[in-house]
Amino acid sequence: QVQLQESGPGLVKPSETLSLTCTVSGGSISGYFWSWIRQPPGKGLEWIGHIYYSGSTDYNSSLKSRLTISLATSTNQFSLTLRSVTAADTAVYYCARTSRAGNTGYSSDYWGQGTLVTVSS
Amino acid sequence: SYELTQAPSVSVSPGQTASITCSGDKLGSKYVCWYQQKPGQSPVLVIYQDTKRPSGIPERFSGSNSKNTATLTISGTQAMDEADYYCQAWDSSTVVFGGGTKLTVL
C-alpha cells in the first residue's frame, strides 16, 4: 500500500521560504508524477505543481516565479520550496501520487494526510 | 486561464440520485476526474478518466463527460456520501480544480 507523508515547519515568517518534503513508502517513484496541492482554510483545492519521475516539472503559473519542486529518487522523496511567502500562502499542503492517461488524464490516487503551514510573524 | 465551474451546494434525500456538475469550455475533449473530501480528511479519488472507478469506490458513483459539462452521479445516495466534491481537468500544462460542491444528504 502506497503511503505519502508530508513533513516540514508548520510556521513560516512572511518573506521567508516554505520548504516541505514528501516521503513515499510502499511503492516506487518510477512511472508517476508527484504533485503538491494546497487548500487554504475553508477554501477549495489549488494545484501547485508536479514533477515527473524523470525530473520534468509543471508549475501553477501564478506561483512559478517563487516555486521549485525537486525529486530525490534515492530516498523516495520529493520536495516543495516556495519563496517569499505571504499570509496568502497559509494553507494545508498535500502531496500526492499522480498518474497520466493520454495527454489530459491526470488524476491523483494516493494523497498524504496534509500539513498545515501558517505564514505569520 | 482555464476555469471549471461547480455549483457551491447540492442537496439530496437519502436513497435518491445526486448529480454534481462541472462545466468548462470544451470540457468533453479533456479527461475529468472527481475527488471526494470529508471534513478534516484528504481528498479521495472517486472517478478518473471521466467514467472509471478506482478500486474500492462503490458502484453507486459514476461519471460522464460531454461537450462542456462533466457530471458525477451518486445513485442511492447514503449519509456517508455527504462531503465536498471537486472536479479536476488538465489544460495548457496546468491542473485545474473546480471550486467544489458541498453535497448535503438530508
Side-chain angles (χ1 to χ4, degrees), chain A residues 37 39 43-47 50 58-61 94 101-109 111-114, chain B residues 29-31 33 35 37 40-45 47-49 86 88-90 93-99:
Chain A
I37 300 105
Q39 186 171 36
K43 296 189 177 181
L45 301 171
E46 179 184 26
W47 181 71
H50 62 214
D58 290 302
Y59 294 156
N60 185 323
S61 59
Y94 295 100
N103 292 328
T104 67
Y106 291 83
S107 58
S108 298
D109 56 353
W111 295 62
Q113 66 185 25
Chain B
S29 66
K30 310 174 191 299
Y31 277 131
C33 65
Y35 300 96
Q37 186 181 33
Q41 298 184 18
S42 303
V44 172
L45 181 68
I47 293 290
Y48 67 102
Q49 291 179 46
Y86 295 91
Q88 180 221 291
W90 170 263
S93 301
T94 300
V95 168
V96 181
F97 287 101

mmCIF file of all heavy atoms in Angstrom, chain A residues 37 39 43-47 50 58-61 94 101-109 111-114, chain B residues 29-31 33 35 37 40-45 47-49 86 88-90 93-99:
data_model
loop_
_atom_site.group_PDB
_atom_site.id
_atom_site.type_symbol
_atom_site.label_atom_id
_atom_site.label_comp_id
_atom_site.label_asym_id
_atom_site.label_seq_id
_atom_site.Cartn_x
_atom_site.Cartn_y
_atom_site.Cartn_z
ATOM 1 N N ILE A 37 -0.446 19.974 -3.819
ATOM 2 C CA ILE A 37 -1.733 20.661 -3.879
ATOM 3 C C ILE A 37 -1.932 21.325 -2.521
ATOM 4 O O ILE A 37 -1.538 20.779 -1.498
ATOM 5 C CB ILE A 37 -2.884 19.658 -4.146
ATOM 6 C CG1 ILE A 37 -2.676 18.920 -5.473
ATOM 7 C CG2 ILE A 37 -4.237 20.355 -4.116
ATOM 8 C CD1 ILE A 37 -2.212 17.503 -5.332
ATOM 9 N N GLN A 39 -4.652 23.832 0.139
ATOM 10 C CA GLN A 39 -6.034 24.188 0.431
ATOM 11 C C GLN A 39 -6.053 25.211 1.553
ATOM 12 O O GLN A 39 -5.862 24.859 2.725
ATOM 13 C CB GLN A 39 -6.835 22.945 0.813
ATOM 14 C CG GLN A 39 -8.312 23.184 0.997
ATOM 15 C CD GLN A 39 -9.086 21.890 1.148
ATOM 16 O OE1 GLN A 39 -8.607 20.919 1.741
ATOM 17 N NE2 GLN A 39 -10.286 21.847 0.600
ATOM 18 N N LYS A 43 -11.356 26.833 2.167
ATOM 19 C CA LYS A 43 -11.462 27.079 0.729
ATOM 20 C C LYS A 43 -11.209 25.801 -0.064
ATOM 21 O O LYS A 43 -11.057 24.722 0.499
ATOM 22 C CB LYS A 43 -10.489 28.176 0.325
ATOM 23 C CG LYS A 43 -10.820 29.530 0.959
ATOM 24 C CD LYS A 43 -9.973 30.638 0.378
ATOM 25 C CE LYS A 43 -10.367 31.989 0.965
ATOM 26 N NZ LYS A 43 -9.559 33.101 0.393
ATOM 27 N N GLY A 44 -11.175 25.938 -1.380
ATOM 28 C CA GLY A 44 -11.026 24.793 -2.260
ATOM 29 C C GLY A 44 -9.580 24.411 -2.517
ATOM 30 O O GLY A 44 -8.641 25.006 -1.984
ATOM 31 N N LEU A 45 -9.423 23.401 -3.366
ATOM 32 C CA LEU A 45 -8.105 22.876 -3.689
ATOM 33 C C LEU A 45 -7.422 23.744 -4.742
ATOM 34 O O LEU A 45 -8.063 24.209 -5.684
ATOM 35 C CB LEU A 45 -8.224 21.447 -4.216
ATOM 36 C CG LEU A 45 -8.877 20.433 -3.275
ATOM 37 C CD1 LEU A 45 -9.118 19.118 -4.013
ATOM 38 C CD2 LEU A 45 -8.000 20.205 -2.055
ATOM 39 N N GLU A 46 -6.125 23.929 -4.588
ATOM 40 C CA GLU A 46 -5.323 24.658 -5.565
ATOM 41 C C GLU A 46 -4.111 23.817 -5.931
ATOM 42 O O GLU A 46 -3.325 23.432 -5.072
ATOM 43 C CB GLU A 46 -4.868 26.014 -5.024
ATOM 44 C CG GLU A 46 -4.013 26.799 -6.014
ATOM 45 C CD GLU A 46 -3.484 28.104 -5.462
ATOM 46 O OE1 GLU A 46 -3.338 28.229 -4.236
ATOM 47 O OE2 GLU A 46 -3.184 29.014 -6.266
ATOM 48 N N TRP A 47 -3.961 23.551 -7.221
ATOM 49 C CA TRP A 47 -2.790 22.805 -7.694
ATOM 50 C C TRP A 47 -1.561 23.702 -7.641
ATOM 51 O O TRP A 47 -1.591 24.853 -8.086
ATOM 52 C CB TRP A 47 -3.040 22.338 -9.120
ATOM 53 C CG TRP A 47 -1.949 21.546 -9.742
ATOM 54 C CD1 TRP A 47 -1.579 20.273 -9.431
ATOM 55 C CD2 TRP A 47 -1.102 21.949 -10.814
ATOM 56 N NE1 TRP A 47 -0.552 19.860 -10.245
ATOM 57 C CE2 TRP A 47 -0.232 20.877 -11.111
ATOM 58 C CE3 TRP A 47 -0.973 23.119 -11.576
ATOM 59 C CZ2 TRP A 47 0.731 20.923 -12.117
ATOM 60 C CZ3 TRP A 47 -0.022 23.187 -12.583
ATOM 61 C CH2 TRP A 47 0.822 22.089 -12.836
ATOM 62 N N HIS A 50 3.748 19.723 -10.239
ATOM 63 C CA HIS A 50 4.168 18.332 -10.117
ATOM 64 C C HIS A 50 5.504 18.104 -10.807
ATOM 65 O O HIS A 50 5.962 18.935 -11.598
ATOM 66 C CB HIS A 50 3.104 17.366 -10.629
ATOM 67 C CG HIS A 50 2.761 17.504 -12.094
ATOM 68 N ND1 HIS A 50 1.479 17.276 -12.567
ATOM 69 C CD2 HIS A 50 3.495 17.805 -13.182
ATOM 70 C CE1 HIS A 50 1.457 17.452 -13.872
ATOM 71 N NE2 HIS A 50 2.670 17.779 -14.270
ATOM 72 N N ASP A 58 5.959 20.717 -14.082
ATOM 73 C CA ASP A 58 4.945 21.681 -14.486
ATOM 74 C C ASP A 58 4.514 22.425 -13.233
ATOM 75 O O ASP A 58 4.329 21.809 -12.184
ATOM 76 C CB ASP A 58 3.723 20.997 -15.115
ATOM 77 C CG ASP A 58 4.014 20.398 -16.474
ATOM 78 O OD1 ASP A 58 4.437 21.158 -17.366
ATOM 79 O OD2 ASP A 58 3.835 19.181 -16.645
ATOM 80 N N TYR A 59 4.362 23.732 -13.365
ATOM 81 C CA TYR A 59 4.031 24.554 -12.213
ATOM 82 C C TYR A 59 2.787 25.398 -12.491
ATOM 83 O O TYR A 59 2.527 25.803 -13.635
ATOM 84 C CB TYR A 59 5.178 25.523 -11.881
ATOM 85 C CG TYR A 59 6.467 24.895 -11.409
ATOM 86 C CD1 TYR A 59 7.676 25.577 -11.562
ATOM 87 C CD2 TYR A 59 6.510 23.650 -10.786
ATOM 88 C CE1 TYR A 59 8.874 25.041 -11.113
ATOM 89 C CE2 TYR A 59 7.700 23.094 -10.343
ATOM 90 C CZ TYR A 59 8.874 23.801 -10.517
ATOM 91 O OH TYR A 59 10.066 23.261 -10.073
ATOM 92 N N ASN A 60 2.061 25.708 -11.429
ATOM 93 C CA ASN A 60 0.995 26.699 -11.498
ATOM 94 C C ASN A 60 1.628 28.033 -11.886
ATOM 95 O O ASN A 60 2.557 28.505 -11.233
ATOM 96 C CB ASN A 60 0.306 26.788 -10.138
ATOM 97 C CG ASN A 60 -0.890 27.710 -10.133
ATOM 98 O OD1 ASN A 60 -0.896 28.751 -10.774
ATOM 99 N ND2 ASN A 60 -1.912 27.330 -9.390
ATOM 100 N N SER A 61 1.110 28.639 -12.936
ATOM 101 C CA SER A 61 1.727 29.864 -13.451
ATOM 102 C C SER A 61 1.719 30.996 -12.428
ATOM 103 O O SER A 61 2.605 31.851 -12.428
ATOM 104 C CB SER A 61 1.027 30.317 -14.731
ATOM 105 O OG SER A 61 -0.353 30.550 -14.485
ATOM 106 N N TYR A 94 -0.821 19.376 0.632
ATOM 107 C CA TYR A 94 -0.890 17.943 0.390
ATOM 108 C C TYR A 94 0.135 17.537 -0.668
ATOM 109 O O TYR A 94 0.332 18.262 -1.657
ATOM 110 C CB TYR A 94 -2.260 17.545 -0.152
ATOM 111 C CG TYR A 94 -3.432 17.742 0.774
ATOM 112 C CD1 TYR A 94 -4.264 18.854 0.636
ATOM 113 C CD2 TYR A 94 -3.737 16.809 1.759
ATOM 114 C CE1 TYR A 94 -5.369 19.029 1.461
ATOM 115 C CE2 TYR A 94 -4.836 16.980 2.590
ATOM 116 C CZ TYR A 94 -5.639 18.090 2.435
ATOM 117 O OH TYR A 94 -6.730 18.259 3.252
ATOM 118 N N ALA A 101 -3.073 9.562 -18.175
ATOM 119 C CA ALA A 101 -3.581 8.737 -19.272
ATOM 120 C C ALA A 101 -3.757 9.639 -20.475
ATOM 121 O O ALA A 101 -4.433 10.669 -20.388
ATOM 122 C CB ALA A 101 -4.913 8.109 -18.891
ATOM 123 N N GLY A 102 -3.153 9.290 -21.583
ATOM 124 C CA GLY A 102 -3.211 10.155 -22.756
ATOM 125 C C GLY A 102 -2.550 11.490 -22.450
ATOM 126 O O GLY A 102 -1.610 11.569 -21.666
ATOM 127 N N ASN A 103 -3.068 12.540 -23.066
ATOM 128 C CA ASN A 103 -2.462 13.863 -22.877
ATOM 129 C C ASN A 103 -3.111 14.680 -21.777
ATOM 130 O O ASN A 103 -2.548 15.686 -21.336
ATOM 131 C CB ASN A 103 -2.543 14.664 -24.176
ATOM 132 C CG ASN A 103 -1.652 14.085 -25.256
ATOM 133 O OD1 ASN A 103 -0.599 13.534 -24.958
ATOM 134 N ND2 ASN A 103 -2.083 14.190 -26.497
ATOM 135 N N THR A 104 -4.299 14.288 -21.338
ATOM 136 C CA THR A 104 -5.018 15.131 -20.382
ATOM 137 C C THR A 104 -5.518 14.398 -19.148
ATOM 138 O O THR A 104 -6.113 15.002 -18.272
ATOM 139 C CB THR A 104 -6.249 15.798 -21.053
ATOM 140 O OG1 THR A 104 -7.211 14.781 -21.377
ATOM 141 C CG2 THR A 104 -5.855 16.554 -22.310
ATOM 142 N N GLY A 105 -5.274 13.128 -19.059
ATOM 143 C CA GLY A 105 -5.881 12.334 -17.992
ATOM 144 C C GLY A 105 -5.069 12.257 -16.727
ATOM 145 O O GLY A 105 -4.622 11.183 -16.334
ATOM 146 N N TYR A 106 -4.860 13.392 -16.078
ATOM 147 C CA TYR A 106 -4.125 13.402 -14.820
ATOM 148 C C TYR A 106 -5.094 13.146 -13.670
ATOM 149 O O TYR A 106 -6.148 13.777 -13.589
ATOM 150 C CB TYR A 106 -3.440 14.751 -14.597
ATOM 151 C CG TYR A 106 -2.298 15.017 -15.550
ATOM 152 C CD1 TYR A 106 -2.513 15.528 -16.827
ATOM 153 C CD2 TYR A 106 -0.982 14.748 -15.169
ATOM 154 C CE1 TYR A 106 -1.466 15.756 -17.699
ATOM 155 C CE2 TYR A 106 0.079 14.984 -16.029
ATOM 156 C CZ TYR A 106 -0.176 15.484 -17.298
ATOM 157 O OH TYR A 106 0.872 15.712 -18.162
ATOM 158 N N SER A 107 -4.722 12.252 -12.773
ATOM 159 C CA SER A 107 -5.526 12.004 -11.579
ATOM 160 C C SER A 107 -4.619 11.524 -10.461
ATOM 161 O O SER A 107 -3.660 10.795 -10.705
ATOM 162 C CB SER A 107 -6.633 10.982 -11.860
ATOM 163 O OG SER A 107 -6.098 9.775 -12.326
ATOM 164 N N SER A 108 -4.962 11.910 -9.242
ATOM 165 C CA SER A 108 -4.124 11.613 -8.077
ATOM 166 C C SER A 108 -4.821 10.587 -7.196
ATOM 167 O O SER A 108 -5.877 10.868 -6.627
ATOM 168 C CB SER A 108 -3.848 12.892 -7.288
ATOM 169 O OG SER A 108 -3.130 13.819 -8.081
ATOM 170 N N ASP A 109 -4.205 9.408 -7.105
ATOM 171 C CA ASP A 109 -4.871 8.310 -6.413
ATOM 172 C C ASP A 109 -4.395 8.080 -4.985
ATOM 173 O O ASP A 109 -5.086 7.410 -4.217
ATOM 174 C CB ASP A 109 -4.738 7.013 -7.232
ATOM 175 C CG ASP A 109 -3.307 6.643 -7.553
ATOM 176 O OD1 ASP A 109 -2.383 7.443 -7.263
ATOM 177 O OD2 ASP A 109 -3.103 5.539 -8.106
ATOM 178 N N TRP A 111 -2.842 10.231 -1.586
ATOM 179 C CA TRP A 111 -2.580 11.544 -1.002
ATOM 180 C C TRP A 111 -1.969 11.390 0.386
ATOM 181 O O TRP A 111 -2.291 10.450 1.110
ATOM 182 C CB TRP A 111 -3.878 12.335 -0.863
ATOM 183 C CG TRP A 111 -4.548 12.705 -2.151
ATOM 184 C CD1 TRP A 111 -5.051 11.860 -3.107
ATOM 185 C CD2 TRP A 111 -4.801 14.030 -2.624
ATOM 186 N NE1 TRP A 111 -5.599 12.571 -4.133
ATOM 187 C CE2 TRP A 111 -5.465 13.910 -3.872
ATOM 188 C CE3 TRP A 111 -4.549 15.303 -2.113
ATOM 189 C CZ2 TRP A 111 -5.865 15.031 -4.614
ATOM 190 C CZ3 TRP A 111 -4.957 16.413 -2.839
ATOM 191 C CH2 TRP A 111 -5.604 16.275 -4.085
ATOM 192 N N GLY A 112 -1.143 12.349 0.753
ATOM 193 C CA GLY A 112 -0.703 12.430 2.131
ATOM 194 C C GLY A 112 -1.816 12.964 3.011
ATOM 195 O O GLY A 112 -2.876 13.375 2.519
ATOM 196 N N GLN A 113 -1.574 12.975 4.300
ATOM 197 C CA GLN A 113 -2.598 13.447 5.232
ATOM 198 C C GLN A 113 -2.716 14.967 5.255
ATOM 199 O O GLN A 113 -3.696 15.505 5.769
ATOM 200 C CB GLN A 113 -2.285 12.952 6.642
ATOM 201 C CG GLN A 113 -1.007 13.545 7.241
ATOM 202 C CD GLN A 113 -0.658 12.941 8.597
ATOM 203 O OE1 GLN A 113 -1.032 11.819 8.916
ATOM 204 N NE2 GLN A 113 0.081 13.692 9.403
ATOM 205 N N GLY A 114 -1.736 15.643 4.679
ATOM 206 C CA GLY A 114 -1.749 17.100 4.650
ATOM 207 C C GLY A 114 -1.066 17.688 5.866
ATOM 208 O O GLY A 114 -1.086 17.113 6.950
ATOM 209 N N SER B 29 -13.617 17.342 -24.341
ATOM 210 C CA SER B 29 -12.415 16.930 -25.072
ATOM 211 C C SER B 29 -11.249 16.631 -24.137
ATOM 212 O O SER B 29 -10.156 16.286 -24.580
ATOM 213 C CB SER B 29 -11.999 18.015 -26.057
ATOM 214 O OG SER B 29 -11.591 19.186 -25.363
ATOM 215 N N LYS B 30 -11.503 16.770 -22.842
ATOM 216 C CA LYS B 30 -10.457 16.521 -21.851
ATOM 217 C C LYS B 30 -10.946 15.422 -20.902
ATOM 218 O O LYS B 30 -12.138 15.219 -20.723
ATOM 219 C CB LYS B 30 -10.187 17.790 -21.022
ATOM 220 C CG LYS B 30 -9.968 19.047 -21.813
ATOM 221 C CD LYS B 30 -9.859 20.265 -20.899
ATOM 222 C CE LYS B 30 -9.906 21.562 -21.682
ATOM 223 N NZ LYS B 30 -8.800 21.669 -22.627
ATOM 224 N N TYR B 31 -9.990 14.742 -20.280
ATOM 225 C CA TYR B 31 -10.356 13.809 -19.224
ATOM 226 C C TYR B 31 -10.652 14.592 -17.935
ATOM 227 O O TYR B 31 -9.951 15.536 -17.588
ATOM 228 C CB TYR B 31 -9.231 12.823 -18.949
ATOM 229 C CG TYR B 31 -9.177 11.638 -19.882
ATOM 230 C CD1 TYR B 31 -7.996 11.270 -20.500
ATOM 231 C CD2 TYR B 31 -10.313 10.865 -20.124
ATOM 232 C CE1 TYR B 31 -7.927 10.163 -21.341
ATOM 233 C CE2 TYR B 31 -10.260 9.761 -20.963
ATOM 234 C CZ TYR B 31 -9.068 9.420 -21.567
ATOM 235 O OH TYR B 31 -9.011 8.327 -22.395
ATOM 236 N N CYS B 33 -11.508 14.113 -13.692
ATOM 237 C CA CYS B 33 -11.601 13.228 -12.533
ATOM 238 C C CYS B 33 -12.316 13.966 -11.400
ATOM 239 O O CYS B 33 -12.498 15.189 -11.452
ATOM 240 C CB CYS B 33 -10.233 12.713 -12.092
ATOM 241 S SG CYS B 33 -9.086 13.953 -11.467
ATOM 242 N N TYR B 35 -12.920 14.156 -7.024
ATOM 243 C CA TYR B 35 -12.462 13.825 -5.688
ATOM 244 C C TYR B 35 -13.569 14.094 -4.679
ATOM 245 O O TYR B 35 -14.327 15.055 -4.817
ATOM 246 C CB TYR B 35 -11.239 14.669 -5.294
ATOM 247 C CG TYR B 35 -10.056 14.490 -6.219
ATOM 248 C CD1 TYR B 35 -9.838 15.373 -7.266
ATOM 249 C CD2 TYR B 35 -9.173 13.433 -6.043
ATOM 250 C CE1 TYR B 35 -8.767 15.211 -8.119
ATOM 251 C CE2 TYR B 35 -8.092 13.266 -6.895
ATOM 252 C CZ TYR B 35 -7.903 14.154 -7.941
ATOM 253 O OH TYR B 35 -6.833 13.990 -8.787
ATOM 254 N N GLN B 37 -14.038 14.872 -0.603
ATOM 255 C CA GLN B 37 -13.295 15.280 0.582
ATOM 256 C C GLN B 37 -14.255 15.496 1.741
ATOM 257 O O GLN B 37 -15.137 16.347 1.671
ATOM 258 C CB GLN B 37 -12.490 16.559 0.328
ATOM 259 C CG GLN B 37 -11.589 16.925 1.500
ATOM 260 C CD GLN B 37 -10.801 18.191 1.270
ATOM 261 O OE1 GLN B 37 -11.259 19.121 0.618
ATOM 262 N NE2 GLN B 37 -9.580 18.236 1.810
ATOM 263 N N GLY B 40 -11.797 17.540 7.458
ATOM 264 C CA GLY B 40 -10.591 17.128 8.157
ATOM 265 C C GLY B 40 -9.829 15.993 7.504
ATOM 266 O O GLY B 40 -8.861 15.499 8.082
ATOM 267 N N GLN B 41 -10.257 15.574 6.306
ATOM 268 C CA GLN B 41 -9.604 14.455 5.634
ATOM 269 C C GLN B 41 -9.003 14.890 4.301
ATOM 270 O O GLN B 41 -9.351 15.925 3.750
ATOM 271 C CB GLN B 41 -10.604 13.320 5.400
ATOM 272 C CG GLN B 41 -11.178 12.739 6.685
ATOM 273 C CD GLN B 41 -12.090 11.556 6.419
ATOM 274 O OE1 GLN B 41 -12.075 10.946 5.348
ATOM 275 N NE2 GLN B 41 -12.897 11.206 7.420
ATOM 276 N N SER B 42 -8.108 14.060 3.795
ATOM 277 C CA SER B 42 -7.528 14.299 2.480
ATOM 278 C C SER B 42 -8.533 13.916 1.405
ATOM 279 O O SER B 42 -9.404 13.074 1.621
ATOM 280 C CB SER B 42 -6.261 13.458 2.306
ATOM 281 O OG SER B 42 -5.320 13.738 3.323
ATOM 282 N N PRO B 43 -8.423 14.527 0.244
ATOM 283 C CA PRO B 43 -9.298 14.135 -0.870
ATOM 284 C C PRO B 43 -9.104 12.673 -1.251
ATOM 285 O O PRO B 43 -8.011 12.119 -1.106
ATOM 286 C CB PRO B 43 -8.853 15.060 -2.007
ATOM 287 C CG PRO B 43 -8.269 16.247 -1.312
ATOM 288 C CD PRO B 43 -7.587 15.680 -0.100
ATOM 289 N N VAL B 44 -10.190 12.081 -1.754
ATOM 290 C CA VAL B 44 -10.169 10.695 -2.239
ATOM 291 C C VAL B 44 -10.646 10.702 -3.684
ATOM 292 O O VAL B 44 -11.689 11.283 -4.002
ATOM 293 C CB VAL B 44 -11.093 9.803 -1.385
ATOM 294 C CG1 VAL B 44 -11.213 8.417 -2.004
ATOM 295 C CG2 VAL B 44 -10.584 9.722 0.047
ATOM 296 N N LEU B 45 -9.896 10.046 -4.554
ATOM 297 C CA LEU B 45 -10.275 9.940 -5.959
ATOM 298 C C LEU B 45 -11.459 8.995 -6.083
ATOM 299 O O LEU B 45 -11.372 7.842 -5.658
ATOM 300 C CB LEU B 45 -9.077 9.417 -6.771
ATOM 301 C CG LEU B 45 -9.265 9.253 -8.268
ATOM 302 C CD1 LEU B 45 -9.423 10.604 -8.949
ATOM 303 C CD2 LEU B 45 -8.073 8.482 -8.868
ATOM 304 N N ILE B 47 -13.609 9.142 -9.221
ATOM 305 C CA ILE B 47 -13.770 8.886 -10.661
ATOM 306 C C ILE B 47 -12.541 9.440 -11.374
ATOM 307 O O ILE B 47 -12.073 10.543 -11.058
ATOM 308 C CB ILE B 47 -15.024 9.571 -11.232
ATOM 309 C CG1 ILE B 47 -16.304 8.947 -10.665
ATOM 310 C CG2 ILE B 47 -15.040 9.518 -12.774
ATOM 311 C CD1 ILE B 47 -16.601 7.520 -11.158
ATOM 312 N N TYR B 48 -12.000 8.676 -12.325
ATOM 313 C CA TYR B 48 -10.908 9.176 -13.164
ATOM 314 C C TYR B 48 -11.201 8.846 -14.615
ATOM 315 O O TYR B 48 -12.020 7.976 -14.914
ATOM 316 C CB TYR B 48 -9.556 8.633 -12.700
ATOM 317 C CG TYR B 48 -9.373 7.138 -12.876
ATOM 318 C CD1 TYR B 48 -8.609 6.632 -13.929
ATOM 319 C CD2 TYR B 48 -9.934 6.229 -11.979
ATOM 320 C CE1 TYR B 48 -8.429 5.270 -14.087
ATOM 321 C CE2 TYR B 48 -9.763 4.874 -12.135
ATOM 322 C CZ TYR B 48 -9.008 4.394 -13.187
ATOM 323 O OH TYR B 48 -8.828 3.029 -13.348
ATOM 324 N N GLN B 49 -10.529 9.547 -15.517
ATOM 325 C CA GLN B 49 -10.750 9.374 -16.965
ATOM 326 C C GLN B 49 -12.243 9.377 -17.278
ATOM 327 O O GLN B 49 -12.742 8.484 -17.980
ATOM 328 C CB GLN B 49 -10.086 8.089 -17.456
ATOM 329 C CG GLN B 49 -8.560 8.170 -17.429
ATOM 330 C CD GLN B 49 -7.917 6.873 -17.889
ATOM 331 O OE1 GLN B 49 -8.311 6.297 -18.900
ATOM 332 N NE2 GLN B 49 -6.908 6.421 -17.173
ATOM 333 N N TYR B 86 -14.865 17.742 -5.760
ATOM 334 C CA TYR B 86 -14.113 18.603 -6.657
ATOM 335 C C TYR B 86 -13.875 17.900 -7.990
ATOM 336 O O TYR B 86 -13.458 16.734 -8.016
ATOM 337 C CB TYR B 86 -12.749 18.947 -6.055
ATOM 338 C CG TYR B 86 -12.806 19.771 -4.789
ATOM 339 C CD1 TYR B 86 -12.853 19.165 -3.537
ATOM 340 C CD2 TYR B 86 -12.809 21.163 -4.849
ATOM 341 C CE1 TYR B 86 -12.913 19.909 -2.376
ATOM 342 C CE2 TYR B 86 -12.860 21.924 -3.688
ATOM 343 C CZ TYR B 86 -12.923 21.291 -2.459
ATOM 344 O OH TYR B 86 -12.974 22.047 -1.313
ATOM 345 N N GLN B 88 -11.668 17.955 -11.613
ATOM 346 C CA GLN B 88 -10.307 18.356 -11.987
ATOM 347 C C GLN B 88 -10.059 17.995 -13.436
ATOM 348 O O GLN B 88 -10.479 16.931 -13.910
ATOM 349 C CB GLN B 88 -9.286 17.645 -11.092
ATOM 350 C CG GLN B 88 -7.837 18.001 -11.404
ATOM 351 C CD GLN B 88 -6.935 16.783 -11.346
ATOM 352 O OE1 GLN B 88 -6.673 16.218 -10.292
ATOM 353 N NE2 GLN B 88 -6.429 16.357 -12.512
ATOM 354 N N ALA B 89 -9.382 18.876 -14.134
ATOM 355 C CA ALA B 89 -9.013 18.626 -15.526
ATOM 356 C C ALA B 89 -7.630 19.213 -15.764
ATOM 357 O O ALA B 89 -7.049 19.864 -14.891
ATOM 358 C CB ALA B 89 -10.042 19.228 -16.469
ATOM 359 N N TRP B 90 -7.131 18.996 -16.979
ATOM 360 C CA TRP B 90 -5.794 19.451 -17.372
ATOM 361 C C TRP B 90 -5.923 20.342 -18.588
ATOM 362 O O TRP B 90 -6.609 19.992 -19.556
ATOM 363 C CB TRP B 90 -4.928 18.234 -17.692
ATOM 364 C CG TRP B 90 -3.603 18.501 -18.329
ATOM 365 C CD1 TRP B 90 -3.299 18.454 -19.664
ATOM 366 C CD2 TRP B 90 -2.383 18.841 -17.661
ATOM 367 N NE1 TRP B 90 -1.964 18.731 -19.844
ATOM 368 C CE2 TRP B 90 -1.372 18.970 -18.632
ATOM 369 C CE3 TRP B 90 -2.044 19.045 -16.322
ATOM 370 C CZ2 TRP B 90 -0.052 19.299 -18.324
ATOM 371 C CZ3 TRP B 90 -0.723 19.356 -16.011
ATOM 372 C CH2 TRP B 90 0.238 19.480 -17.000
ATOM 373 N N SER B 93 -0.859 22.688 -19.803
ATOM 374 C CA SER B 93 0.192 22.305 -18.855
ATOM 375 C C SER B 93 -0.136 22.662 -17.416
ATOM 376 O O SER B 93 0.776 22.915 -16.607
ATOM 377 C CB SER B 93 1.530 22.944 -19.248
ATOM 378 O OG SER B 93 1.915 22.549 -20.536
ATOM 379 N N THR B 94 -1.412 22.712 -17.119
ATOM 380 C CA THR B 94 -1.849 23.072 -15.766
ATOM 381 C C THR B 94 -2.985 22.172 -15.320
ATOM 382 O O THR B 94 -3.928 21.941 -16.082
ATOM 383 C CB THR B 94 -2.320 24.532 -15.723
ATOM 384 O OG1 THR B 94 -1.236 25.378 -16.096
ATOM 385 C CG2 THR B 94 -2.796 24.923 -14.335
ATOM 386 N N VAL B 95 -2.896 21.702 -14.078
ATOM 387 C CA VAL B 95 -4.039 21.032 -13.464
ATOM 388 C C VAL B 95 -4.985 22.099 -12.932
ATOM 389 O O VAL B 95 -4.549 23.046 -12.278
ATOM 390 C CB VAL B 95 -3.576 20.105 -12.316
ATOM 391 C CG1 VAL B 95 -4.765 19.639 -11.483
ATOM 392 C CG2 VAL B 95 -2.807 18.907 -12.860
ATOM 393 N N VAL B 96 -6.261 21.943 -13.243
ATOM 394 C CA VAL B 96 -7.269 22.909 -12.808
ATOM 395 C C VAL B 96 -8.320 22.188 -11.970
ATOM 396 O O VAL B 96 -8.827 21.129 -12.371
ATOM 397 C CB VAL B 96 -7.954 23.577 -14.014
ATOM 398 C CG1 VAL B 96 -8.987 24.588 -13.545
ATOM 399 C CG2 VAL B 96 -6.915 24.252 -14.909
ATOM 400 N N PHE B 97 -8.640 22.755 -10.829
ATOM 401 C CA PHE B 97 -9.712 22.236 -9.978
ATOM 402 C C PHE B 97 -10.936 23.130 -10.086
ATOM 403 O O PHE B 97 -10.821 24.360 -10.196
ATOM 404 C CB PHE B 97 -9.281 22.214 -8.499
ATOM 405 C CG PHE B 97 -8.288 21.137 -8.158
ATOM 406 C CD1 PHE B 97 -6.945 21.437 -8.031
ATOM 407 C CD2 PHE B 97 -8.709 19.836 -7.933
ATOM 408 C CE1 PHE B 97 -6.027 20.454 -7.699
ATOM 409 C CE2 PHE B 97 -7.799 18.839 -7.601
ATOM 410 C CZ PHE B 97 -6.454 19.147 -7.494
ATOM 411 N N GLY B 98 -12.107 22.503 -10.029
ATOM 412 C CA GLY B 98 -13.316 23.267 -9.836
ATOM 413 C C GLY B 98 -13.363 23.802 -8.412
ATOM 414 O O GLY B 98 -12.591 23.372 -7.554
ATOM 415 N N GLY B 99 -14.286 24.720 -8.168
ATOM 416 C CA GLY B 99 -14.368 25.339 -6.862
ATOM 417 C C GLY B 99 -14.938 24.452 -5.772
ATOM 418 O O GLY B 99 -14.869 24.793 -4.589
#
